C-alpha cells in the first residue's frame, strides 16, 4: 500500500517522512524519525511513557494517529534540553526520581506542561498532572518532590 | 493487515461511508480506537477522520445547548457555561487523555468507561445523528440499544440547561484517576417541595450507562425525605444485573450504588 508523506515540526525542526496510513505517532517518532525519547510502554495510552506535546498539549503518542500531526508542532523530551539539561532532568537525577528511567521522559513532558500552565502548583496539582503516567519503581514521592523543587527554583529565578 | 484512513470534510459523507462499510470506524481522539488498531483488530479495516466544524461547535449561551461530538474533555473544561458537566469531564483519565478524549467517543466507550455519558443520560441529553437529515434527535440511552447494527455517527449532543439539582459521583479504586467501580449521576427537578422528575443514571454496573427506573419510580411525585430516599435506594438496582469484572464483583457494585445513592440523595435533601 502507498505510503503517506507526513510533515510536521519536531522540537522546532521540520521533519518529513513516509508513514503507513494508520501508523501511530509513537512508531513514526521512534521508527521513522529516530527520536527515541518517547518510550513504548503499553501501546494502549495507559502508562504515559510515550507522552509528547502537540501544539502545546500533552497527548499519548501511541494512541495518536500520526496523520493527525500533519503540519503541527510536536515536542518530545528531546526538545526540552538544549546545551544544558532541563532543570527537571537535573532534579530527577539529583532526587533519585528516576530509577529504571523508563517512565522518566513521559513524566518530564507532563511536568514541564504543568509548570508552563501553572508555575505555582501545589502537591495535588502535581499528582493530578502526572496521573496519566505510571512509575513502577519510585512510589512517585521523589518525582513529586523533584517537580515541586523545580517549581520553587523557577519561581525564585523569575522573582 | 493494513488499515486505511479516509479523511473527509463533512459528517454526512462520513456517515454514508460508515453505513456502507462495516469495517470502517469513526475516529474521535483515538484513545480507545487506536488501541484496537495497534493490536491489529481484524474487525477494523478503515478509520474515518472528519474535519467538519460541526463536530467542534459549541453553542452554550442559552437554555438549549449543543456540543459537537468532536469536542474534547479539555475543551469542555474551558467553558464556564458548561460548568454542570465539569465534574464528569474532569474525571475522564488524566490531562493528556482529556486533551484527546472526545464527547462522541465517550458515548461509545464501554464499561468501566463512559463517565461523561452517564451524566448526559441523567440530564436527558439527546444526540443529533449525521447523514439522517430531518430525523429527530435520539435519547442517548436509545443509542446503546442498537447492539448489532453499525453505530450511527453522532454529530452533536443536545442538552437542556438543567433546572434543579445535579449530582455526579465516580467511585474508583485509583485516585485521582482510574476506571469506575460505579459512576452515579442524578438529576432532580423539584417543584413546591415535590419531585417532578428524577433521573438516576448508573455507569460501571452494566456494559453501557443505564437509567435506574426503580429509583426514578420510587421518587416520582414524592418529597425528598428519609422514606423516599430509602425507597429509592432499595429499588435502585431493580431489573439491573450488575457486572462482575477484574475491578469489582457485581455484589460489590450493587452495594456501592446503594451506599453512594443514599449519601447523594441525603446531601441533595440538605441533610
Ligand atoms: C488510560 C486511559 C484512561 C481512561 N480513563 C477514562 C475515564 O476515567 N473515564 C472514561 O469515561 N473514559 C476513560 N477512558 C476511555 C476514553 O479515553 C474515553 O471514554 C474517551 O472519551 C473516548 O473518546 P475518544 O475520542 O478517544 O474515542 P475513540 O477512541 O476515537 O473512539 C471510541 C469509539 O467511539 C466511536 N466514535 C467516536 N466518535 C464518534 C462519533 N462522533 N459518532 C459515532 N461514533 C464515534 C469510535 O468509532 C469508536 O468505536 C480512558 C482511556 C484510557 C486509554
Amino acid at each position: 500500500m502507498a505510503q503517506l508523506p507526513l510533515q510536521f515540526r519536531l522540537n522546532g525542526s521540520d521533519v518529513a517522512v513516509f508513514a503507513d496510513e494508520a501508523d501511530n505517532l509513537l512508531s513514526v517518532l521512534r521508527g521513522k524519525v529516530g527520536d527515541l525519547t518517547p518510550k513504548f510502554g503499553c501501546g494502549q495510552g495507559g502508562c504515559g511513557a510515550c507522552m509528547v506535546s502537540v501544539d502545546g498539549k500533552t497527548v499519548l503518542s501511541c494512541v495518536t494517529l500520526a496523520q493527525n500531526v500533519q503540519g503541527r508542532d510536536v515536542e518530545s523530551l528531546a526538545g526540552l534540553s538544549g546545551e544544558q539539561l532541563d532543570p527537571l532532568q537535573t532534579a530527577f537525577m539529583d532526587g533519585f526520581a528516576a530509577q529504571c528511567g523508563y517512565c522518566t521522559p513521559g513524566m518530564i513532558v507532563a511536568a514541564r506542561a504543568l509548570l508552563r500552565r501553572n508555575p505555582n502548583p501545589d502537591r495535588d496539582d502535581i499528582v493530578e498532572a502526572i496521573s496519566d503516567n505510571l512509575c513502577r519503581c519510585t512510589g512517585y514521592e521523589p518525582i513529586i518532590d523533584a517537580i515541586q523543587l523545580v517549581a520553587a527554583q523557577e519561581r525564585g529565578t523569575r522573582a | 493487515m493494513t488499515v486505511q484512513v479516509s479523511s473527509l470534510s463533512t459528517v454526512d459523507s462520513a456517515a454514508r461511508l460508515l453505513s456502507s462499510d462495516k469495517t470502517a470506524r469513526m475516529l474521535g481522539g483515538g484513545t480507545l480506537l487506536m488501541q484496537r488498531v495497534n493490536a491489529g483488530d481484524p474487525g477494523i479495516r478503515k478509520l474515518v477522520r472528519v474535519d467538519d466544524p460541526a463536530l467542534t461547535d459549541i453553542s452554550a449561551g442559552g437554555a438549549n445547548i449543543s456540543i459537537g461530538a468532536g469536542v474534547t474533555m479539555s475543551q469542555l473544561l474551558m467553558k464556564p457555561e458548561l460548568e454542570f458537566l465539569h465534574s464528569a469531564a474532569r474525571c475522564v483519565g488524566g490531562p493528556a487523555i482529556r486533551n484527546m478524549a472526545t464527547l462522541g467517543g465517550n458515548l461509545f466507550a464501554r464499561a468501566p468507561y463512559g463517565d461523561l455519558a452517564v451524566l448526559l443520560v441523567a440530564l436527558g441529553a439527546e444526540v443529533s445523528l449525521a447523514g439522517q437529515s430531518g430525523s429527530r434527535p435520539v435519547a442517548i440511552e436509545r443509542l446503546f440499544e442498537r447492539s448489532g447494527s453499525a453505530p450511527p455517527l453522532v454529530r452533536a449532543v443536545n442538552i437542556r440547561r438543567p433546572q434543579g439539582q445535579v449530582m455526579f459521583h465516580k467511585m474508583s479504586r485509583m485516585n485521582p484517576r482510574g476506571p469506575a467501580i460505579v459512576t452515579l449521576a442524578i438529576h432532580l427537578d423539584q417543584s413546591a417541595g415535590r419531585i417532578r422528575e428524577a433521573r438516576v443514571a448508573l455507569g460501571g454496573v452494566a456494559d453501557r450507562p443505564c437509567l435506574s427506573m426503580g429509583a426514578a419510580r420510587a421518587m416520582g411525585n414524592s418529597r425528598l425525605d428519609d422514606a423516599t430516599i430509602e425507597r429509592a435506594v432499595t429499588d435502585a438496582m431493580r431489573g439491573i444485573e450488575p457486572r462482575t469484572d477484574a475491578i469489582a464483583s457485581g455484589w460489590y457494585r450493587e452495594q456501592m450504588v446503594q451506599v453512594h445513592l443514599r449519601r447523594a440523595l441525603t446531601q441533595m435533601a440538605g441533610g
Side-chain angles (χ1 to χ4, degrees), chain A residues 1 20-25 43-47 51 57-70 117 127-134, chain B residues 2-7 27-35 37-39 47 49 74-75 78 90 93-100 174-177:
Chain A
M1 181 174 285
D20 286 339
E21 286 190 24
D23 269 352
N24 63 59
L25 177 59
Q44 302 181 344
C47 74
M51 190 179 286
K57 293 202 165 63
T58 51
V59 300
L60 286 325
S61 64
C62 73
V63 286
T64 298
L65 183 71
Q67 288 194 33
N68 281 354
V69 306
Q70 185 80 264
R117 66 176 183 269
V127 170
E128 164 61 27
I130 58 169
S131 63
D132 285 303
N133 306 74
L134 296 184
Chain B
T2 48
V3 175
Q4 288 181 312
V5 179
S6 290
S7 299
L27 181 68
T31 56
L32 294 172
L33 194 53
M34 285 300 289
Q35 293 182 25
V37 172
N38 291 345
L47 298 178
R49 289 169 77 217
S74 298
Q75 289 165 337
M78 286 183 329
R90 199 175 294 116
I97 289 283
R98 292 195 290 273
N99 286 338
M100 304 177 72
M174 265 191 340
N175 283 312
R177 72 121 205 222

Side-chain angles (χ1 to χ4, degrees), chain B residues 10 12-13 25 52 77 103 119 167-168 219 221 223 269:
Chain B
T10 67
D12 290 338
S13 53
R25 292 286 181 286
D52 184 333
L77 288 167
L103 177 54
L119 177 56
M167 205 283 318
F168 174 86
M219 286 192 278
N221 202 28
R223 291 185 183 284

